[in-house]
Amino acid sequence: DLIGSGTRRDCYQYPGEDSLCIKIPRQNKLGLKQQAREEKFYRSLHMRGVSTAHITRYHGNIETSLGCGYIYDVIRDPDGNYAKSFRDIIRQGICSATDYVEVMDTLEDYLFDHQVLFYDLNPTNILCRHNADGSLEPFIIDGLGEKVAIPIAHYSSYLLERTIKRRWLRMVETMRRNHPWMEGYRYHH
């Protein structure tokens, strides 16, 4: 069953395993390139012992009838429904401005504390699980890693932090233009 589609990959429910999905690049160069970039990123996280508390975990490859697929966690709410994207939650007005700001604070802390690099962090690449206590727990599902051929930022924690900060603040400014609730968010790293 198709769960969702991005610009370069389709995501399917893993047969017989509710906690996993399979991302399959559309048969184009960009989808395959993106997947190779993500695999490299996940290997580097594993080698550094970085927590995957707020990103979907990668579990390896599988051959499918649609080509090579890549296995990831599925993010679900406690009731078993698929978690919604941060964009959909904002558009539907499901939560309060305070809840949205808490999502931003959680992501900022996670990315900076664990030095997790991203190249395309936007509300469609973030899923939010509604926990039993009513809180939102964010998970980045796409746009992680680095797009440049020579990832210089990875060779210095100082450069890595500066790159994360620059990209984070760029994303925050984009969101501020579109979402009035962002006035309650304050950058703190």
Side-chain angles (χ1 to χ4, degrees):
D1 292 337
L2 183 67
I3 296 173
S5 293
T7 53
R8 297 184 179 125
R9 297 181 292 184
D10 295 319
C11 184
Y12 297 88
Q13 180 62 55
Y14 192 102
E17 184 56 62
D18 286 349
S19 65
L20 299 174
C21 67
I22 304 171
K23 290 184 181 181
I24 301 175
R26 296 196 187 106
Q27 294 307 312
N28 63 46
K29 234 167 137 175
L30 294 176
L32 296 171
K33 204 171 177 182
Q34 178 180 356
Q35 187 58 46
R37 192 171 43 242
E38 269 190 23
E39 284 183 90
K40 185 176 179 182
F41 165 76
Y42 277 100
R43 275 194 305 275
S44 76
L45 286 184
H46 180 72
M47 287 173 55
R48 291 186 327 173
V50 172
S51 163
T52 56
H54 293 287
I55 60 175
T56 55
R57 289 179 302 171
Y58 170 64
H59 298 280
N61 307 353
I62 188 170
E63 198 55 46
T64 75
S65 60
L66 300 174
C68 188
Y70 304 88
I71 306 167
Y72 291 87
D73 287 338
V74 166
I75 308 303
R76 292 181 183 271
D77 291 338
D79 62 8
N81 290 323
Y82 295 114
K84 293 181 187 248
S85 73
F86 193 34
R87 181 193 71 177
D88 289 345
I89 288 171
I90 293 167
R91 282 184 176 173
Q92 295 169 11
I94 293 173
C95 296
S96 70
T98 302
D99 294 323
Y100 303 149
V101 170
E102 285 178 18
V103 166
M104 296 294 291
D105 287 339
T106 298
L107 287 173
E108 180 185 334
D109 289 343
Y110 173 75
L111 293 168
F112 282 86
D113 292 351
H114 298 284
Q115 293 193 314
V116 174
L117 193 59
F118 59 92
Y119 62 88
D120 183 21
L121 191 58
N122 65 66
T124 59
N125 289 341
I126 301 165
L127 294 183
C128 292
R129 175 171 43 213
H130 275 97
N131 290 321
D133 65 1
S135 65
L136 292 176
E137 185 176 2
F139 293 88
I140 302 169
I141 61 165
D142 211 350
L144 293 165
E146 181 63 273
K147 272 183 122 168
V148 297
I150 301 172
I152 296 170
H154 285 282
Y155 298 107
S156 158
S157 59
Y158 171 76
L159 289 175
L160 187 57
E161 187 162 331
R162 283 187 52 139
T163 302
I164 293 168
K165 180 179 180 179
R166 185 179 72 250
R167 291 178 185 177
W168 177 261
L169 292 176
R170 186 180 324 140
M171 184 269 300
V172 165
E173 284 310 307
T174 300
M175 289 188 68
R176 280 194 200 284
R177 287 193 297 268
N178 300 314
H179 304 291
W181 59 265
M182 280 291 291
E183 290 305 314
Y185 167 76
R186 300 286 177 263
Y187 172 75
H188 57 272
H189 269 91

